[in-house]
Amino acid sequence: MSNLADFEARPQIDNITIETYTKIMKIATYTVKPKLPSALKPLEEIARNLWLSWNFDAVQLFIRLDYDAWLKSQQSPIRALGMVSQDRLAQAAKDDSYLAALNEVYKRFLKYKKGDTWYRGSRRDVVAYFSMEYGMDVSLPIYSGGLGILSGDHMKTSSDMGLPLVGIGLLYRQGYFKQVLNADGFQQESYPENDWYNMPVERKIGRDGEPLKITVELAGRVAVAQIWEVKVGRSSLYLLDTNIEENAQDIRNITAALYGGDKETRIQQEILLGIGGIRALRALGINPAVTHMNEGHSAFLGLERIRELMQEKGFTFEEAREAVWPTNIFTTHTPVPAGNERFDIGLMEKYFRSWPEIVGISWKDFLALGRIHPEDDHETYCMTVLALKLAAYANGVARLHGTVSRDMWKGLWPGLPLDEVPIGHVTNGVHPRTWVSNVMTDLLDRYFGLHFEEDPTDLAIWNRMDRISDEELWRTHERRRERLVVFARERIRQYITHSGAVKRRLQQAEDALSPYALTLAFARRFATYKRGNLLLRDPERLLRLVKDNEHPVQLIFAGKAHPMDMPGKELIREILHFAEKYDVTSRIVFLENYDMTVARYLTSGADVWLNTPRRPLEASGTSGMKAAMNGVLNCSILDGWWDEAYNPEVGWAIGQGEQYEDTNLQDDVESKALYDLLERDIIPLFYQRGRDGLPREWIRRMKASMQVIGQSMSSHRMLMDYSNQFYFPALKNYRRIVKDEYRESKSLAAYFQRLRASWDSLKIVALESNAKPVMQRGDSLTVTASIDLGPLLPEELLVELYHGSVSNQSTDIEHARRSEMKPVNHQGTCYQYQVRVECTDTGFQGHTVRILPKHDALVHPYRSSFIKWA
């Protein structure tokens, strides 16, 4: 028998090519795991749970076991275990010191999993959290940036708090790309394959002993997906994977890459995530009583939940819709219309033409679910619109972003005042124990006590920052800056080596940066609106700063541009060329392949965190929060989270929240403002030292920043907000609806059917009041409205007096108050409604009357097209 090497030497035998030979080979597959001595068995359990990612003492077990294996494994505990020799494992199993450390960590791990939590209610019904990406740890690279990191922190925090929440996502064979810069500084992308059998994921096995799988229909074809589980402390994340033999190659490629492929790949991924995600939970025996759509990618889940109820209960479309509406939550992350996912109608027809028949509505009504203007046949299908129409609860991710989102989507609620558009906000947060460096965490643990770890929802613990001495805090921060410089030099050396640069530049890597200089960091996705080159706008002024040997300043940049974003790639190239042109490569550096590891070094080792987006295009941003919790001071445009978090004690604001139509003028004004802040405030303050060499005023601000941001921007605050505003009310809605055998939902569907039939006949006939041209504060205002209800009943309508100050520039009522009006008498179908209010505000006042839906089952009365004004 010839071996493969012989065959490769003879490319063709009997007209059979190598490729054909490979295809007909039958390969028996199996999994090989490291053979651990019994004393080391807990290592595997710890390695397979991402609790490890926010507990550095657990990470140290693997570093201590074999440091070289840890580095070669790219910080993957499971892969590292497989690379450690059996001799070394045997040695560790007899090492009393190592075993003591292992047992201590394992004891903490078990205590964490079984301990008391913030949430202590029922776990029978769960919240299913859907996201396109999850940034949990460098060992699981299925994230691209902020959205994924937020989802990862969401899962970790849910575990800390014991919430009845599971995550749903996709398992990408290549994840997001690895950034490689060529010798000219131009970004190129590589897509390394992920090896799931050496990563913290495990295939779910069904009762038949086979991998658990689900199917979804894709344009007349069946796609099969298997389910993997990621353990996140107490919680679980389930990931779908189509890269299996049952599927054709194009279907296998659906989960090939995050945000890869064309629009058709995207709709396939989003069908798999939304529809397939619900089916996966059913296959796992998990009841998704409440669903949380983190961005619009998963919005098709609403259609699947409706289909399920119609099939199982025999409901109409409207009855099923009213049953799922109070249990759907949607979070939008996009502050510009163009950033929301839209699909051409041709693509929708290809993948969803059968759905109207399945759910019993017309094709036009089906498309209307994803359109702002249903009558416009040319409007594309928007996933954000679908999510907003199917969810009772919706929010932006910062206070300012909530305002921007209400303005962006007000067209879905015509006639509704902007401040009442039902999109609120929950400001993002970050998971402290993931992002605060290990040396800073040790310091905080010493001064905050065990409570800091055991009850992370007690945010007042951050008020103990004043207990930490200036000397200890500063020395801790200096150690992190030193580590950042060492790390950056190594990254620069790697870039210079693989880009083929001359040896002279290797010496530049050794000299890059100083562990003692004021260090500014700018690290985020490179998109033009984030303005990574704003500091380069006045080269002469910048060069004065970075070449000042008395008060040295250095800049570290990092970030990826989307593979198709050429302007973003050009920004990266511009920074590298600037440093070369002006011979400041030792003071201005760019770190390649920004990921969670780079982020941890930067957010803990820099002194100032820069953020320069065009307001209001930054939905939230979270990197500055991570930096602040490490004592790094923020200097940022008042946008995203910083718009609500800023005060002069915790950092600096570039500008005062202005917005510009002329972007060139904006760049001029705001770059000059940034230079002024650096020259007049930031640099002098950093180098203002006492006799002991400590920058006391700078340290005071570090403490203030850690105290304020640690409380207000913790992901535990974020999850408490989500729980109290959305999760708990939605779970309560679900339990009430199910207990009542869905009578409430059927009643609501019938009510809206009556309302649609009668709304046009509803008329506000007359509006009267006792208002005089001039009234005194404290006077009573009585308003009477005559309303012809037609076939509707008074208890089916909410009639309100809408009153407040009238704008000088328009006839709009500002800062309005609403007072419910009650029927006092009627003649036939014409009812008189009346209310009395007190004149409390002075100035030009006004009032009017409006009518809204009223039903006990409504989460809120704001439904599209159902508002009538006098």
Side-chain angles (χ1 to χ4, degrees):
M1 178 183 287
S2 10
N3 60 33
L4 186 57
D6 292 336
F7 189 83
E8 287 172 346
R10 295 174 283 147
Q12 188 169 330
I13 298 178
D14 297 330
N15 297 318
I16 301 176
T17 63
I18 294 175
E19 181 181 0
T20 306
Y21 182 81
T22 305
K23 285 182 178 177
I24 64 173
M25 284 196 315
K26 203 165 187 178
I27 300 176
T29 61
Y30 44 87
T31 303
V32 178
K33 293 186 176 183
K35 186 178 180 181
L36 296 177
S38 58
L40 301 184
K41 287 291 185 184
L43 274 176
E44 185 170 9
E45 187 179 349
I46 293 169
R48 292 191 176 278
N49 192 309
L50 288 179
W51 173 84
L52 170 144
S53 68
W54 68 92
N55 287 274
F56 188 71
D57 54 351
V59 172
Q60 283 181 311
L61 292 174
F62 297 88
I63 296 174
R64 184 174 168 184
L65 188 64
D66 189 327
Y67 183 63
D68 289 337
W70 178 252
L71 292 181
K72 289 176 184 176
S73 74
Q74 297 180 318
Q75 301 177 47
S76 172
I78 295 170
R79 184 181 288 114
L81 277 182
M83 298 170 74
V84 178
S85 69
Q86 288 301 135
D87 286 345
R88 175 62 189 125
L89 291 173
Q91 289 174 5
K94 297 176 181 178
D95 184 336
D96 291 344
S97 174
Y98 185 83
L99 292 177
L102 171 59
N103 292 332
E104 180 61 30
V105 169
Y106 190 55
K107 187 167 68 174
R108 281 186 51 237
F109 174 57
L110 295 178
K111 180 182 178 183
Y112 173 86
K113 290 207 298 181
K114 297 175 182 177
D116 291 336
T117 59
W118 179 77
Y119 175 79
R120 300 182 184 180
S122 169
R123 300 181 182 281
R124 184 184 61 190
D125 306 313
V126 306
V127 177
Y129 178 80
F130 287 69
S131 185
M132 198 75 163
E133 54 175 299
Y134 289 87
M136 312 290 294
D137 187 59
V138 290
S139 64
L140 188 61
I142 55 170
Y143 63 94
S144 70
L147 181 70
I149 298 299
L150 176 74
S151 300
D153 282 4
H154 200 106
M155 291 300 303
K156 294 172 185 178
T157 310
S158 173
S159 169
D160 287 345
M161 295 169 60
L163 292 174
L165 182 145
V166 298
I168 293 288
L170 303 181
L171 189 65
Y172 302 101
R173 194 173 76 241
Q174 297 173 333
Y176 202 50
F177 69 89
K178 180 179 179 181
Q179 182 190 53
V180 179
L181 302 179
N182 66 17
D184 189 44
F186 188 77
Q187 173 184 293
Q188 297 171 315
E189 299 86 28
S190 67
Y191 293 86
E193 295 277 331
N194 286 321
D195 175 10
W196 303 131
Y197 298 93
N198 279 307
M199 290 184 174
V201 296
E202 291 189 63
R203 248 186 329 192
K204 296 301 291 180
I205 303 300
R207 292 179 180 176
D208 58 359
E210 295 296 318
L212 201 58
K213 297 172 184 175
I214 57 96
T215 62
V216 293
E217 184 183 300
L218 295 174
R221 303 167 70 196
V222 174
V224 184
Q226 61 184 351
I227 306 168
W228 299 74
E229 180 182 14
V230 180
K231 296 185 185 300
V232 189
R234 302 179 177 97
S235 302
S236 289
L237 166 64
Y238 298 102
L239 303 171
L240 300 180
D241 166 27
T242 60
N243 185 31
I244 52 179
E245 290 182 356
E246 290 96 317
N247 293 324
Q249 189 59 51
D250 61 328
I251 291 179
R252 295 181 72 160
N253 287 340
I254 291 172
T255 54
L258 171 61
Y259 305 134
D262 55 14
K263 275 289 186 181
E264 187 147 14
T265 303
R266 287 297 285 273
I267 198 171
Q268 291 171 341
Q269 288 182 335
E270 295 182 14
I271 289 170
L272 180 64
L273 176 64
I275 297 174
I278 292 292
R279 294 178 185 179
L281 291 170
R282 299 294 184 202
L284 289 160
I286 297 170
N287 177 33
V290 171
T291 54
H292 181 178
M293 298 168 273
N294 190 42
E295 251 315 349
H297 306 122
S298 59
F300 290 137
L301 69 82
L303 300 176
E304 174 65 6
R305 297 187 75 197
I306 289 170
R307 185 202 63 78
E308 280 186 334
L309 280 175
M310 293 181 69
Q311 181 177 310
E312 294 169 9
K313 305 289 184 182
F315 288 175
T316 67
F317 176 82
E318 291 300 334
E319 289 170 343
R321 180 180 179 175
E322 296 302 343
V324 302
W325 180 74
T327 63
N328 280 341
I329 301 158
F330 170 58
T331 298
T332 175
H333 292 260
T334 311
V336 289
N340 293 273
E341 189 80 86
R342 290 181 177 273
F343 295 117
D344 290 337
I345 299 307
L347 204 55
M348 286 298 299
E349 189 160 13
K350 179 176 179 179
Y351 285 90
F352 284 94
R353 196 63 183 85
S354 62
W355 271 76
E357 185 178 349
I358 293 171
V359 297
I361 59 176
S362 70
W363 177 241
K364 188 175 181 68
D365 286 343
F366 184 84
L367 291 179
L369 294 169
R371 285 172 164 168
I372 298 176
H373 307 290
E375 70 284 353
D376 182 0
D377 291 335
H378 299 289
E379 185 179 342
T380 53
Y381 195 92
C382 180
M383 297 296 282
T384 302
V385 172
L386 176 64
L388 287 168
K389 286 188 175 183
L390 296 184
Y393 304 96
N395 69 283
V397 289
R399 184 175 62 195
L400 177 61
H401 182 237
T403 302
V404 170
S405 298
R406 286 189 289 276
D407 187 54
M408 190 188 313
W409 300 111
K410 62 188 176 186
L412 288 171
W413 295 271
L416 192 64
L418 187 62
D419 63 343
E420 292 183 87
V421 169
I423 302 175
H425 80 273
V426 173
T427 301
N428 285 344
V430 299
H431 188 251
R433 297 194 87 86
T434 293
W435 295 106
V436 176
S437 72
N438 60 297
V439 291
M440 187 65 77
T441 298
D442 288 345
L443 180 66
L444 298 181
D445 282 339
R446 288 205 309 274
Y447 282 91
F448 289 3
L450 286 174
H451 200 54
F452 182 49
E453 179 182 6
E454 294 176 352
D455 185 9
T457 59
D458 182 7
L459 303 177
I461 200 81
W462 288 92
N463 290 329
R464 297 182 181 180
M465 278 305 305
D466 287 340
R467 297 183 180 184
I468 301 174
S469 70
D470 290 357
E471 292 82 1
E472 279 194 278
L473 182 60
W474 186 246
R475 299 307 173 212
T476 301
H477 178 66
E478 284 193 313
R479 284 198 296 275
R480 288 310 303 171
R481 194 190 312 115
E482 290 166 4
R483 291 297 305 147
L484 168 60
V485 169
V486 171
F487 174 80
R489 286 173 178 171
E490 179 57 29
R491 278 294 174 112
I492 297 165
R493 188 182 301 111
Q494 291 172 7
Y495 161 61
I496 291 173
T497 300
H498 76 64
S499 65
V502 295
K503 289 186 177 180
R504 174 184 58 83
R505 291 191 59 195
L506 286 173
Q507 186 57 46
Q508 292 177 353
E510 299 297 333
D511 297 335
L513 305 174
S514 163
Y516 310 108
L518 172 62
T519 304
L520 316 181
F522 180 99
R524 52 194 26 88
R525 180 166 60 89
F526 265 73
T528 51
Y529 82 87
K530 293 179 181 281
R531 297 188 295 176
N533 61 346
L534 190 65
L535 260 179
L536 276 55
R537 196 165 180 85
D538 187 339
E540 184 180 338
R541 208 166 171 184
L542 177 58
L543 291 170
R544 277 204 308 270
L545 298 180
V546 298
K547 290 186 174 183
D548 185 341
N549 291 322
E550 185 178 353
H551 297 131
V553 176
Q554 55 197 16
L555 283 82
I556 304 178
F557 292 90
K560 298 177 179 179
H562 187 277
M564 303 303 291
D565 184 3
M566 294 304 150
K569 291 183 176 184
E570 188 56 37
L571 286 178
I572 297 172
R573 186 171 169 274
E574 181 184 349
I575 291 167
L576 288 161
H577 279 230
F578 182 96
E580 285 285 340
K581 178 181 178 181
Y582 294 104
D583 194 25
V584 287
T585 54
S586 65
R587 292 288 176 85
I588 299 178
V589 303
F590 189 98
L591 301 187
E592 196 177 49
N593 200 38
Y594 184 45
D595 61 7
M596 290 182 74
T597 297
V598 179
R600 284 192 175 105
Y601 277 98
L602 286 171
T603 55
S604 62
D607 297 299
V608 176
W609 197 259
L610 290 177
N611 190 26
T612 54
R614 295 192 193 280
R615 176 187 166 109
L617 302 184
E618 182 94 306
S620 171
T622 57
S623 60
M625 302 175 189
K626 299 159 192 163
M629 290 186 192
N630 279 287
V632 179
L633 301 182
N634 277 267
C635 178
S636 173
I637 298 291
L638 289 172
D639 197 10
W641 76 280
W642 191 239
D643 179 69
E644 62 194 85
Y646 166 72
N647 76 64
E649 296 299 307
V650 301
W652 295 272
I654 304 168
Q656 297 178 329
E658 303 90 346
Q659 292 176 210
Y660 298 77
E661 292 186 9
D662 184 336
T663 57
N664 193 53
L665 174 63
Q666 179 181 17
D667 291 348
D668 272 341
V669 171
E670 293 181 341
S671 63
K672 289 174 182 176
L674 177 53
Y675 291 130
D676 287 345
L677 281 173
L678 288 168
E679 293 167 350
R680 300 174 186 176
D681 294 340
I682 296 173
I683 297 172
L685 188 68
F686 182 83
Y687 286 107
Q688 179 185 315
R689 307 295 172 103
R691 291 182 180 177
D692 54 7
L694 296 178
R696 296 280 182 179
E697 180 57 26
W698 187 276
I699 296 169
R700 187 185 68 78
R701 291 197 185 202
M702 287 174 64
K703 289 183 177 180
S705 176
M706 295 174 74
Q707 177 179 333
V708 171
I709 307 305
Q711 294 183 70
S712 63
M713 297 301 157
S714 163
S715 56
H716 299 90
R717 185 274 309 153
M718 176 182 75
L719 260 292
M720 286 191 283
D721 285 351
Y722 272 115
S723 297
N724 293 322
Q725 293 182 40
F726 303 143
Y727 293 167
F728 296 164
L731 284 168
K732 184 178 179 181
N733 293 341
Y734 172 80
R735 289 165 185 152
R736 186 183 66 248
I737 290 168
V738 171
K739 184 178 180 181
D740 194 38
E741 296 183 345
Y742 294 94
R743 279 192 287 268
E744 183 180 282
S745 305
K746 292 181 178 181
S747 169
L748 195 56
Y751 167 71
F752 275 111
Q753 187 175 0
R754 279 171 47 78
L755 216 55
R756 277 188 288 272
S758 308
W759 193 255
D760 288 343
S761 63
L762 185 65
K763 291 181 175 61
I764 300 175
V765 179
L767 181 62
E768 300 174 346
S769 76
N770 67 338
K772 296 176 288 187
V774 177
M775 300 189 72
Q776 303 293 318
R777 177 185 283 159
D779 287 352
S780 289
L781 175 69
T782 301
V783 180
T784 304
S786 298
I787 303 175
D788 187 349
L789 303 188
L792 296 171
L793 302 174
E795 58 267 27
E796 295 180 310
L797 299 169
L798 175 62
V799 180
E800 292 182 328
L801 178 69
Y802 189 83
H803 56 110
S805 301
V806 177
S807 169
N808 291 326
Q809 299 178 356
S810 68
T811 56
D812 294 336
I813 294 176
E814 297 179 341
H815 311 298
R817 293 189 294 276
R818 305 184 302 276
S819 302
E820 185 173 356
M821 303 180 74
K822 299 291 186 182
V824 291
N825 56 58
H826 72 99
Q827 187 172 359
T829 61
C830 192
Y831 283 73
Q832 277 197 331
Y833 283 78
Q834 196 170 83
V835 70
R836 178 180 297 174
V837 295
E838 184 177 316
C839 296
T840 56
D841 296 334
T842 59
F844 198 40
Q845 303 291 304
H847 65 262
T848 189
V849 168
R850 68 180 188 181
I851 305 173
L852 293 164
K854 185 177 183 180
H855 192 284
D856 289 342
L858 279 173
V859 174
H860 60 71
Y862 308 124
R863 288 293 187 95
S864 182
S865 303
F866 289 116
I867 184 169
K868 187 154 289 195
W869 294 89

